[in-house]
Amino acid sequence: MITPDLIVAFLTLTFLEVVLGVDNIIFISILAGRFPVEKRKKLMQIGLLAAMGMRILLLLGVNSLTKMQATLIQFDTQYFSSNISVQTLILLAGGLFLIYKSTHEIFVKVEGNLAENNSEKKPSFSFSKALFQIVLIDIVFSFDSILTAVGMTNGLPYALWIMIAAVVISISIMIGFADPISRFVNKHPSLQILGLSFLLLIGFMLLTEAASLSGTVIFGSSISTIPKGYLYFAIAFSLGVEVLNMRIRKAKGN
């Protein structure tokens, strides 16, 4: 039976899934920007469909996800202690990958263009390599998404079906908006750098989240997670400033 609680949970969860998927779209858009238009659209669609598949598989295996939170390796020394799980390792690897990838892409955007102008041969970046990187980051982002979904629907009837429906609809919405977002981002180089900076922040946030979940203590100090509200506010504020700058540049150009 459909109740108001189920409807509210479904709508809220769908909205949160879209919000949590924005970083995924930014990452896919920047990678897809290296390819021609026809391949770009295909890569984004496959990438987001892969994200949907990952999240549904994780939802169907929530028990396995819970087991991934169990301690795998334990360290307990005078200066360092930590209870490392599979989930912690995935978040740690994802954070390091995002930091590396964002830094590398910023270098390519800023310094790499100079090298390309002085060389006839451009660095190769295959479609399959881009897709592989997207799938890797999908796994990391899916953990965050699914843990949010499980927490919100805990105790509700038909919780699994609510979560699956919210994931399918949110990814469908993102697929619909991914192409215009990609075109807009790739049309404005400053937004690409801003997007990569966001991914750098998200990578750092994943590292702190991994440290917090594992109860890591270094030299007697524990590491806390960065509240996501702070991160989203910083992203929204920076984006707002950049939009104003774009309007100013456009007005001066006219």
Side-chain angles (χ1 to χ4, degrees), residues 62-79:
V62 169
N63 291 332
S64 299
L65 185 63
T66 304
K67 290 177 183 177
M68 288 182 182
Q69 296 174 311
T71 300
L72 183 67
I73 305 170
Q74 187 173 20
F75 293 97
D76 190 7
T77 66
Q78 183 178 356
Y79 304 107

Side-chain angles (χ1 to χ4, degrees), residues 136-155:
L136 280 180
I137 213 63
D138 279 344
I139 295 173
V140 179
F141 287 151
S142 293
F143 266 92
D144 194 19
S145 170
I146 295 311
L147 291 173
T148 300
V150 170
M152 280 196 60
T153 57
N154 187 34

Side-chain angles (χ1 to χ4, degrees), residues 72-73 84-94 210:
L72 183 67
I73 305 170
I84 299 173
S85 64
V86 174
Q87 180 189 354
T88 301
L89 290 175
I90 290 174
L91 290 175
L92 180 64

Side-chain angles (χ1 to χ4, degrees), residues 7-240:
I7 295 172
V8 170
F10 169 72
L11 293 176
T12 306
L13 186 55
T14 302
F15 173 74
L16 285 176
E17 289 291 327
V18 172
V19 171
L20 291 172
V22 169
D23 42 18
N24 212 343
I25 291 179
I26 292 172
F27 182 81
I28 295 174
S29 297
I30 291 170
L31 282 186
R34 294 188 175 193
F35 298 94
V37 177
E38 62 276 5
K39 284 191 174 182
R40 185 184 308 166
K41 191 172 183 180
K42 182 180 178 182
L43 181 63
M44 295 185 70
Q45 289 176 344
I46 294 174
L48 287 171
L49 287 173
M52 181 192 295
M54 291 287 180
R55 293 176 191 190
I56 291 176
L57 285 175
L58 284 174
L59 282 172
L60 295 175
V62 169
N63 291 332
S64 299
L65 185 63
T66 304
K67 290 177 183 177
M68 288 182 182
Q69 296 174 311
T71 300
L72 183 67
I73 305 170
Q74 187 173 20
F75 293 97
D76 190 7
T77 66
Q78 183 178 356
Y79 304 107
F80 176 79
S81 63
S82 183
N83 300 309
I84 299 173
S85 64
V86 174
Q87 180 189 354
T88 301
L89 290 175
I90 290 174
L91 290 175
L92 180 64
L96 290 173
F97 174 74
L98 267 184
I99 290 173
Y100 161 75
K101 189 63 184 174
S102 302
T103 305
H104 176 71
E105 288 294 326
I106 289 173
F107 173 81
V108 170
K109 298 291 182 188
V110 177
E111 300 289 342
N113 289 334
L114 298 175
E116 287 179 13
N117 290 336
N118 296 326
S119 174
E120 294 182 0
K121 185 179 179 181
K122 294 186 179 182
S124 60
F125 190 75
S126 66
F127 187 89
S128 58
K129 185 177 179 181
L131 185 58
F132 177 71
Q133 291 186 5
I134 288 171
V135 170
L136 280 180
I137 213 63
D138 279 344
I139 295 173
V140 179
F141 287 151
S142 293
F143 266 92
D144 194 19
S145 170
I146 295 311
L147 291 173
T148 300
V150 170
M152 280 196 60
T153 57
N154 187 34
L156 289 176
Y158 311 110
L160 178 62
W161 295 109
I162 292 172
M163 289 186 287
I164 290 176
V167 165
V168 171
I169 291 176
S170 63
I171 295 290
S172 300
I173 291 171
M174 285 189 280
I175 289 175
F177 285 96
D179 191 44
I181 290 174
S182 176
R183 288 200 305 269
F184 186 73
V185 168
N186 285 290
K187 185 179 177 182
H188 300 89
S190 58
L191 281 180
Q192 294 180 37
I193 299 298
L194 194 60
L196 288 167
S197 301
F198 294 162
L199 292 176
L200 200 60
L201 281 176
I202 292 167
F204 183 72
M205 183 193 73
L206 288 174
L207 294 185
T208 60
E209 190 171 344
S212 178
L213 287 173
S214 61
T216 300
V217 177
I218 301 175
F219 295 107
S221 299
S222 59
I223 301 176
S224 303
T225 57
I226 300 173
K228 290 183 175 64
Y230 292 173
L231 183 67
Y232 291 142
F233 174 79
I235 291 173
F237 180 80
S238 302
L239 190 58

